Amino acid sequence: RPAHGDPRHHAGLHRVCVMRLNPAAFNTFLAGIGQRMLWQSASACPCIEPHSGAAKPGCPLCLGKGHIYAVGVECVAGVASQKVVKQWAAFGMYEQGDAILVIPSDSPLYAAGRFDKITMLNGSDRFSRVLTRGRNDRLHESILSVDKVFWLNPAGDTVVPGGIPTVAPDGSLTWASGEPPAGTKYTIEGQRRPTYFVFDNMPSDRNQHQGALLPKNLVARQWDVMSR
């Protein structure tokens, strides 16, 4: 380094350092440590009422959810953090959690937008639902297994064990035997793949650096009320 007073000393203070980041190196790193995911882009269903924004309850496409989902695309992304908590609201208990994802620039998930669905293919957790036979008995999740079904007898003082149903791709349930009586509330339990939605938090726009497409963050939310 030039001594103080040397003209070259002051010239060095104004020297600009240029940092060159390598998107390919980031993508290779995330591919090695990332988790497999299934990304389904969301589209607003045409059944939505334009004045209220509410979906038609009996819509056969969105099932009253207001969004229809494209065929899933498998991809890989990093998971910076992941959590799930149970909370109470006026309508009962629901699950809420967040996952912070780091998306490589060469992943299809890089194009994710609001209300898209992301299913974690490397993970699983337990679910327990109370459904009514013949009314709302459909599972809006990626189910790995159904392990237990039961309901109460007419007196309400004895548990009646049921059979294990088959879960169709659309989440509907069919029983070969041990089916709950029509109109009966029953509990169904098993293992599912964690599912998150791109909700209020959109992907960040820090991906541009001197024209280079760098990994960007996405906050996805596990919000059970979207499955009701």
Side-chain angles (χ1 to χ4, degrees), residues 86-99:
K86 292 184 180 293
Q87 297 185 0
W88 284 90
F91 52 77
M93 187 174 67
Y94 68 99
E95 295 176 0
Q96 180 174 304
D98 293 320

Side-chain angles (χ1 to χ4, degrees), residues 88-140:
W88 284 90
F91 52 77
M93 187 174 67
Y94 68 99
E95 295 176 0
Q96 180 174 304
D98 293 320
I100 300 177
L101 310 181
V102 183
I103 310 171
S105 62
D106 60 353
S107 170
L109 190 58
Y110 206 72
R114 194 178 188 193
F115 296 131
D116 287 2
K117 183 189 296 186
I118 300 171
T119 303
M120 304 291 189
L121 299 180
N122 290 133
S124 66
D125 58 25
R126 180 176 174 271
F127 73 91
S128 182
R129 297 277 183 269
V130 176
L131 306 176
T132 302
R133 185 61 184 144
R135 295 182 190 173
N136 68 338
D137 47 352
R138 180 178 289 185
L139 297 172
H140 301 280

Side-chain angles (χ1 to χ4, degrees), residues 93-95 129 141 192 222-228:
M93 187 174 67
Y94 68 99
E95 295 176 0
R129 297 277 183 269
E141 300 164 286
R192 65 180 179 184
Q222 188 176 54
W223 199 30
D224 181 55
V225 75
M226 295 190 73
S227 296
R228 292 176 182 263

Side-chain angles (χ1 to χ4, degrees), residues 49 121 201:
E49 170 58 44
L121 299 180
N201 298 290

